[in-house]
Amino acid sequence: MEHQLVIVLDFGGQYDQLIARRVRDCGVYCEVRSYKTPIEEIRRLSPAGIIFTGGPNSVYDESSPHIGKEIFELGIPILGICYGCQLMAYTLGGKVAACDRSEYGKTETYYDRSSVLFGGIHLPETATSWMSHTDYVAELPEGFRVTAHTANCPAAAFECPERKLYAVQFHPEVNHTFAGQGMLDSFLKNVCGCIGDWTMAGYAQTAIQQIREKVGDGKVLLALSGGVDSSVAAALLAKAVGEQLTCIFVDHGFMRKNEGDEVEAAFQDSGMRFIRVNAKEQFMARMRGVSDPETKRKIIGEEFIRVFEQEAKKIGKVDYLVQGTIYPDVIESGLGDSAVIKSHHNVGGLPDYVDFKEIIEPLRMLFKDEVRKLGTELGLSPVLVWRQPFPGPGLAIRIIGEITDEKLTILQDADLIFRQEIAKAGLDREINQYFAVLTNMRSVGVMGDFRTYDYTVALRAVTTSDFMTADFAQIPYETLAAAASRIVNEVPSVNRIVYDVTTKPPATIEWE
Ligand code: XMP
């Protein structure tokens, strides 16, 4: 089934992905395209609407992204946001000037509710919008009228309904803009005529059909890590091509407690060929005497590829290799050919020796939360769908210093208790990543009448949106107390628990 399409034309703004997410939240399928997309391509795509994003530039900079006038002649509704709003005004003959005072943050905004964007939604005449600009539209192009203003911005929104052109200086996609989602929804439904036909059930159906057509009776190979993306990709492929799919799950032994079994159980009845390689002994042997974090990562990466290669060779020639690339990867790698380079990079060198015809990326157009929705739609276990990010080298980089069987067991047990307590407190979907670390430090304690000299376990929990920066999670003391008490009582060789209260930067999320 073909969905109505909206194009988010990317001018380099910081909220581009967010705009796309919000459009999809309205049930409308959209794709982010570069502002350089040729007009013929836009005509061919025949979108129901176009949204110009913000951008860091000033329209008067020569190097700024510009756009030809023809796009406004297509008869396709356009909404310009921030830089996109200024660009619309400038390109159509209006004037843009530097603000006396730039506006940043929450700004009191006066709306004219006779505008289709602002009427019919729960928006008072005065409400907060989120501004972030140093230029403003000083003079409108001919035929436009102002529909919102602020103390410092006389044209916070303007429009020419006859030409289906709309512009807002503020950011409706940001939560701080009161009723911003309603404004976007109104643009999509009432101006573009979108019906909101984008659902995960529909997506799954179409994707399965397309995969079947593409793969035919070919053989498909997937490296399953147990992470959300590769698990959902596996579930989708299994539904589409059943036993033509082989998933290889290399269990390096550094998974969290029971995790290897959970992954196996989730795919047992899926119809695909599922190969679990229990390679713990091999990995442990290579980790003996190793305590440097980067060396650990390197060894695990190499060994992973070696084990995968051995198994893949047994299958013989495959036609397709599946990758769990998701939309943010595609957008971040520049919306161009570079996306392909990154996807090769993602499989960690596998294409060099696994002989295959083509890569399939079935999640390429989905955001992370959509991947989770798809996983749920496909009936995948919540344990996998809601799995928090987990580093490839696993617990090996959460055991400081050399790894031993004893330390691995201690960490798996402590980590499980922490996860259970977080779930009990209902925080498991709120905190983005949380885990235990086995420090390489022992300290003195007392248990009964005896002196102990045992390990310190550190607990780490962070909230973050991009994993580039992070805050430590402000977990209730009761939850910390419950986890600490259970760990020291239930896990032998641990007598002290500390909670990591550093942000990233300067610390990283992982300890190694
Ligand atoms: P850091 O510790 O750098 O972590 O703040 C940021 C995010 O990346 C994950 N991470 C890794 N993922 N291989 C991976 O696949 C690795 O070697 C690795 N190191 C860190 C980490 O869990 C966090 O989500």
Side-chain angles (χ1 to χ4, degrees):
M1 191 178 76
E2 283 290 311
H3 296 285
Q4 285 178 308
L5 168 73
V6 163
I7 292 181
V8 174
L9 218 50
D10 176 9
F11 288 93
Q14 57 178 325
Y15 298 123
D16 297 358
Q17 284 199 32
L18 193 57
I19 296 175
R21 286 286 313 104
R22 296 280 183 252
V23 172
R24 290 193 189 181
D25 280 345
C26 297
V28 175
Y29 180 68
C30 70
E31 290 183 11
V32 182
R33 301 272 170 150
S34 161
Y35 74 93
K36 292 180 186 155
T37 308
I39 190 88
E40 302 77 46
E41 173 73 359
I42 292 180
R43 232 182 245 126
R44 188 188 66 74
L45 290 167
S46 175
I50 300 173
I51 298 180
F52 290 0
T53 74
N57 311 65
S58 166
V59 289
Y60 289 112
D61 285 349
E62 269 190 24
S63 57
S64 303
H66 286 100
I67 196 148
K69 262 191 186 147
E70 318 82 70
I71 196 160
F72 299 105
E73 311 299 333
L74 296 175
I76 299 171
I78 300 179
L79 172 65
I81 296 177
C82 196
Y83 178 82
C85 145
Q86 294 164 10
L87 191 68
M88 185 186 289
Y90 173 78
T91 313
L92 294 175
K95 278 215 173 71
V96 175
C99 299
D100 286 338
R101 266 215 232 145
S102 26
E103 284 179 313
Y104 185 79
K106 289 182 184 174
T107 310
E108 193 171 40
T109 308
Y110 303 89
Y111 294 101
D112 174 351
R113 286 181 301 176
S114 69
S115 162
V116 66
L117 294 193
F118 309 133
I121 59 174
H122 293 291
L123 176 70
E125 262 174 23
T126 309
T128 310
S129 77
W130 183 261
M131 289 282 192
S132 175
H133 66 118
T134 47
D135 284 355
Y136 77 108
V137 174
E139 226 172 86
L140 297 186
E142 215 182 291
F144 280 73
R145 72 178 188 114
V146 169
T147 52
H149 68 276
T150 71
N152 294 307
C153 184
F158 51 89
E159 64 186 37
C160 178
E162 298 75 27
R163 297 173 69 186
K164 300 184 198 156
L165 302 179
Y166 295 79
V168 291
Q169 179 58 64
F170 55 86
H171 289 271
E173 72 278 17
V174 170
N175 273 339
H176 302 300
T177 295
F178 186 86
Q181 182 74 18
M183 297 172 196
L184 286 175
D185 193 71
S186 198
F187 173 72
L188 295 166
K189 310 274 168 70
N190 300 328
V191 180
C192 304
C194 292
I195 51 173
D197 58 356
W198 166 249
T199 64
M200 260 313 132
Y203 177 83
Q205 220 178 8
T206 312
I208 288 170
Q209 204 180 328
Q210 285 171 347
I211 292 167
R212 281 187 187 143
E213 277 165 21
K214 177 168 199 154
V215 169
D217 56 7
K219 265 200 216 171
V220 186
L221 178 64
L222 186 149
L224 190 72
S225 69
V228 185
D229 303 339
S230 73
S231 297
V232 174
L236 188 64
L237 262 294
K239 277 242 158 58
V241 297
E243 60 188 21
Q244 287 162 250
L245 169 70
T246 305
C247 285
I248 300 179
F249 167 46
V250 176
D251 187 348
H252 49 32
F254 306 130
M255 303 289 278
R256 287 167 290 202
K257 183 136 180 158
N258 304 330
E259 208 165 26
D261 295 343
E262 282 165 6
V263 173
E264 188 170 349
F267 292 103
Q268 221 149 33
D269 304 319
S270 62
M272 64 160 100
R273 293 178 60 205
F274 179 86
I275 299 173
R276 175 178 179 180
V277 193
N278 286 314
K280 183 179 170 193
E281 295 313 316
Q282 251 165 283
F283 278 86
M284 281 299 270
R286 290 211 52 196
M287 298 305 276
R288 211 155 286 139
V290 178
S291 56
D292 173 62
E294 284 314 302
T295 314
K296 284 181 184 173
R297 276 197 176 76
K298 194 161 164 275
I299 291 175
I300 292 172
E302 281 169 12
E303 196 60 25
F304 184 90
I305 289 177
R306 235 172 53 81
V307 174
F308 188 89
E309 182 179 26
Q310 279 166 4
E311 282 306 318
K313 272 192 183 141
K314 291 183 198 161
I315 304 168
K317 187 166 164 35
V318 294
D319 302 288
Y320 298 93
L321 188 72
V322 184
Q323 269 188 240
T325 317
I326 65 172
Y327 204 34
D329 302 334
V330 176
I331 297 177
E332 272 156 28
S333 57
L335 294 173
D337 304 336
S338 50
V340 180
I341 296 164
K342 181 162 177 184
S343 39
H344 278 79
H345 173 74
N346 273 354
V347 279
L350 298 184
D352 289 345
Y353 60 83
V354 179
D355 190 14
F356 67 97
K357 208 161 65 186
E358 212 179 309
I359 288 184
I360 302 182
E361 296 176 311
L363 312 177
R364 202 180 153 76
M365 300 317 280
L366 300 185
F367 288 100
K368 193 82 172 184
D369 54 336
E370 291 177 317
V371 173
R372 292 196 209 274
K373 270 191 211 156
L374 177 60
T376 307
E377 187 66 43
L378 295 168
L380 202 61
S381 138
V383 175
L384 291 185
V385 169
W386 289 99
R387 194 177 188 258
Q388 43 167 324
F390 187 60
L395 301 185
I397 56 163
R398 292 180 182 168
I399 294 172
I400 313 302
E402 191 183 350
I403 300 159
T404 62
D405 275 319
E406 187 212 4
K407 286 184 183 171
L408 198 53
T409 307
I410 293 174
L411 182 57
Q412 282 177 331
D413 290 342
D415 184 73
L416 179 65
I417 292 173
F418 187 40
R419 283 190 286 140
Q420 285 170 341
E421 291 303 321
I422 292 279
K424 210 157 116 191
L427 298 169
D428 49 340
R429 292 187 190 178
E430 225 167 82
I431 300 174
N432 304 97
Q433 208 171 354
Y434 50 97
F435 51 88
V437 174
L438 184 57
T439 72
N440 209 12
M441 194 201 80
R442 291 181 202 225
S443 67
V444 174
V446 58
M447 208 167 241
D449 290 333
F450 296 99
R451 174 187 186 275
T452 58
Y453 188 59
D454 278 331
Y455 285 115
T456 297
V457 162
L459 303 179
R460 177 84 161 134
V462 297
T463 52
T464 171
S465 53
D466 55 8
F467 294 87
M468 306 292 283
T469 60
D471 277 334
F472 72 88
Q474 305 210 3
I475 295 178
Y477 277 155
E478 306 86 74
T479 310
L480 281 176
S485 160
R486 279 192 59 199
I487 294 170
V488 288
N489 279 295
E490 296 174 33
V491 184
S493 308
V494 178
N495 68 355
R496 194 178 293 273
I497 311 292
V498 296
Y499 185 56
D500 182 347
V501 291
T502 29
T503 54
K504 173 184 178 177
T508 50
I509 295 174
E510 303 288 347
W511 274 40
E512 283 202 334

